[in-house]
Amino acid sequence: MRREMRYENRRKVRKPARKARAAATAGALLLAGLVAGWPASLWAAADDDICGCAESPSLGDFDSTDENTWPEGTTKDGSVITIPLEFHQGGVLVFDSLTFSNNWDLEFVPNEANDPVTLLVKGDVTVCVNCEISVSGRPGGAGSTSVGPGQGGLGGPGGYAGGGGALAAQGFGGHGTAGIGPGAGHGGVAGVDKVSSTVPTQATWLGVPELRPLSGGSGGGGGWSITDDQWCAGGGGGGGGGALLIAANGTIELTGGTALQAKGGKAGVRANSGCASSGSSGSGGAIRLVAKTITGGGSISAEGGALASHDPRGPAGGRGSIRIEGDFEGYTGSTTPSASRSNGRSPLVSPLIPSVVIVAIDGNPPPALPQGFRGGIDLDVTAGGQVLVELQSTDVPSGTQLLVKATPKAGGLPVVETRAIAPESCGLGGAAAGVCDTTVEIDLVPGAYIVEARATFQVPSP
């Protein structure tokens, strides 16, 4: 029996399929609009135009010490310069050169499409000693006797939010909320006592080593709560690390002491160890550097968020991914995790980008710009029953299993259903046409949800 349903901030999910082989040309988690602001030459850049931006309009020379060179909307608070991505389509900024100095840090505010950060530079990039460029996730909030359960931390640009902590007094069985993203940690599950309760699970990064396209980290799960007391509040999960690409036609110099970071956010702590748990931390994100030459001793980190400082606690976040392409013999810095390296330079974006898009839920189309990655509500089910999710995949082989995940906004484990792409669903041209329509029914109880979809397949050997 069909039931009434209304939408609040519904999410359109566009994600290319994950390809397991190193030679694959597509990765996981591309959100709609990612390539919209990229110069067309990126698809086939010349050898001397590594950034694919030589003929593209530029914001000029960026110098952190000269406010006249800062992009629109840039602000400074103390030693932190912040660039809002809302003014830059696709999260892409093109500069003639980029010089960052004065021991300042550079951060970014995600745009509505949650695009990763892409810095394309026609000349050189120089980052000073003790300077930091960060797309890291935010920490989860602490459970509090006055405020209540900890909120999930936001992901960095291209990353995903952590889940909220539980408070048994507010219902939902005292279960923490799961994080967001394909490798999100589940929330803690409340038992009858502390011993029988289960802490949140680890958040992991999912993508391909080539980092084409970039994919950020997933959020950690929120902590559990087992009594109705106000002081029994679980901690929030940490946000996933974001994703950053820097491509330069000249040299990228990371002076010793420099740090490029896409770390997962640390989990929030519980209010009381006797009846609540801390959350789990967000996973690391992704950083890719492509240049003629990469030098210096600066560090690059895509670590997962650290353990919360109090027991009982969920695990630290899983590590993300780092890739360096170009002549990097002069680079002596450390990378965590170890970077994949290539003396050659591959295209910045792939000519083939498989995708899975949610086109409708029970006949209702989602909005153009999703917000579920921020932990917002995609779907509000007012009466339980089967929900029909309509998917459209592009350049994904028939027979591939498509996965739909509905994560409760407050408490409980995600609900997951899969369905294989049938060849007959691919239109008059069959699977070779590249576009296939698939429907998945998912059984949901009343409540608010965040909805995601993805596909995983492997490219055959050539």
Side-chain angles (χ1 to χ4, degrees), residues 64-136:
S64 62
T65 64
D66 184 357
E67 294 187 21
N68 294 320
T69 69
W70 295 0
E72 181 181 1
T74 300
T75 60
K76 181 175 179 292
D77 183 6
S79 63
V80 179
I81 293 177
T82 301
I83 299 177
L85 297 181
E86 62 178 301
F87 301 108
H88 308 286
Q89 188 178 18
V92 179
L93 297 89
V94 181
F95 298 107
D96 291 336
S97 66
L98 192 157
T99 304
F100 209 76
S101 55
N102 268 19
N103 296 334
W104 290 345
D105 297 336
L106 178 61
E107 297 182 352
F108 304 86
V109 178
N111 57 20
E112 285 191 309
N114 195 36
D115 293 308
V117 177
T118 299
L119 305 179
L120 306 178
V121 184
K122 300 182 181 184
D124 296 330
V125 175
T126 304
V127 187
C128 77
V129 176
N130 298 325
C131 291
E132 177 181 299
I133 297 178
S134 175
V135 292
S136 295

Side-chain angles (χ1 to χ4, degrees), residues 409-445:
K409 174 61 180 171
L413 298 176
V415 181
V416 176
E417 290 290 346
T418 60
R419 178 67 60 86
I421 300 174
E424 59 270 21
S425 72
C426 299
L428 296 177
V435 179
C436 307
D437 297 312
T438 305
T439 59
V440 179
E441 286 192 335
I442 189 165
D443 192 9
L444 300 176
V445 300

Side-chain angles (χ1 to χ4, degrees), residues 389-417:
V389 181
E390 300 175 40
L391 307 174
Q392 187 171 87
S393 57
T394 303
D395 295 324
V396 179
S398 62
T400 298
Q401 292 285 336
L402 303 183
L403 179 148
V404 174
K405 180 173 70 172
T407 300
K409 174 61 180 171
L413 298 176
V415 181
V416 176
E417 290 290 346

